[in-house]
Amino acid sequence: MVSESNLHNISWLSGDRPYQFFGPCSAESYDQLRTTATGIKEHFPNTIFRAGIWKPRTRPNTFEGVGEEGLKWLVDIREEFGFKVTTEVASPAHVEACLKAGIDVLWIGARTTVNPFSVQAIADALEGADIPVFVKNPLNPDVSLWSGAVERIAKAGISKMGAIHRGFHLADNKPYRNAPAWDLAVQFKTDNPEIPLICDVSHITGSPGLIPHVAQRVLDLDMDGLMIETHCNPDKALSDASQQVTPAHLKLLWDNLVFKSADIKNKEFQNQLETLRSKIDRIDDSIVELLAQRMNISEEIGVYKKQNKVTILQVQRWQEILERTLKSGKAMNLSEKFISTLYHSIHEESIDKQTNS
Ligand code: PEP
Ligand code: MN
């Protein structure tokens, strides 16, 4: 959790929310950047133009980025189009090269955030610099590792911090390239309310078809911006060809999003909301009361089990409970995932109560 008072809000970003981080996965040539930037500029003049210069690829001998030469291209794009420009840094040498070239914004990639040694080395290289830094979530679903990386960079004196939700590597990512695990993004936002959080929709979806649904979810969760990989000719892209969109496609996607505000301005709607919310509060009180009653019975059972030297865990009984509740949940339109998570948690608490009874 980051609570240093030197953390600003998002006023250092230009333009209105949601912030727009558009541009190709990788810088491939000056012409490719320029053609892409021309298409983006037509519709999104406040873009923060992204392009990877050093590309962390799974295997060697694939395109690993154009290296330092690309920094100069990015600066030229900024001068010509008036965009802020941003790229990924993965080592102190990358940070130094970017600071020297005058890049506007840096981001730390998912493969770097997993490693506190690397993040600390980058933080040390940033000491004394005044540049915004965004930290992507680590590959593994660990929110404290993500917050910890933000904290390391903030401690180096970087006040303009941001975070990027780019999805996680779970046992089953389908249908996504990286599972969004929205609950973890919500957890990060709740733990770090002062850090602007944007979503890298492209690395979650892995394909343009899923972008509308994922991007809308990002807006519904009141995140601060969207990163969408945009390429003048996605089919010919040297990295992440299958997930990039053209600037024209991006405009179409954008126009179909519904933009929302967290502020409630309409009085009538506010009254309706308050009525419904007080109903929910009453139901929540009953739920907690029922759970407490259920746990009291568990404790009673625990005492009998102890007296009769019977094990606390009765696998067959637990399977029966889960089957019954999944079935009645399904009949009432509650998802299997929800009932299963809920009952695993109830069962765990019940075992704890019986252990201590
Ligand atoms: C990227 O943004 O191009 C990238 C490599 O992202 P990630 O670190 O999320 O994999
Ligand atoms: Mn990419």
Side-chain angles (χ1 to χ4, degrees), residues 25 50 55-56 88 107 109-111 136 166 200 203 229:
C25 177
R50 63 147 284 155
K55 296 304 297 178
E88 173 178 348
W107 87 78
R111 287 162 194 76
K136 285 199 175 192
R166 53 77 77 197
D200 172 353
H203 287 90
E229 286 187 340

Side-chain angles (χ1 to χ4, degrees), residues 7 12 26 53 58 68 119 133 138 152 162 195 222 240 247 249 261 270 294 318 336:
L7 289 177
W12 50 270
S26 302
I53 299 293
T58 307
E68 266 189 64
V119 175
V133 180
R152 279 178 198 278
I195 306 283
D222 192 31
D240 287 348
H249 190 171
S261 158
Q270 177 147 25
R294 193 190 190 285
W318 163 227
E336 189 176 322

Side-chain angles (χ1 to χ4, degrees), residues 62-82:
T62 46
F63 175 67
E64 294 196 307
V66 294
E68 266 189 64
E69 186 188 9
L71 296 177
K72 163 94 178 70
W73 301 343
L74 274 180
V75 170
D76 287 348
I77 293 291
R78 184 204 30 233
E79 298 310 315
E80 182 173 351
F81 295 90

Side-chain angles (χ1 to χ4, degrees), residues 27 83 127 185 192 209 212 223 249 261 271 280 292 297 303 333 341 348:
F83 295 148
E127 197 83 46
N192 302 279
M223 291 200 206
H249 190 171
S261 158
N271 290 341
I280 284 197
I297 299 178
V303 173
N333 224 358
T341 312
E348 198 181 315

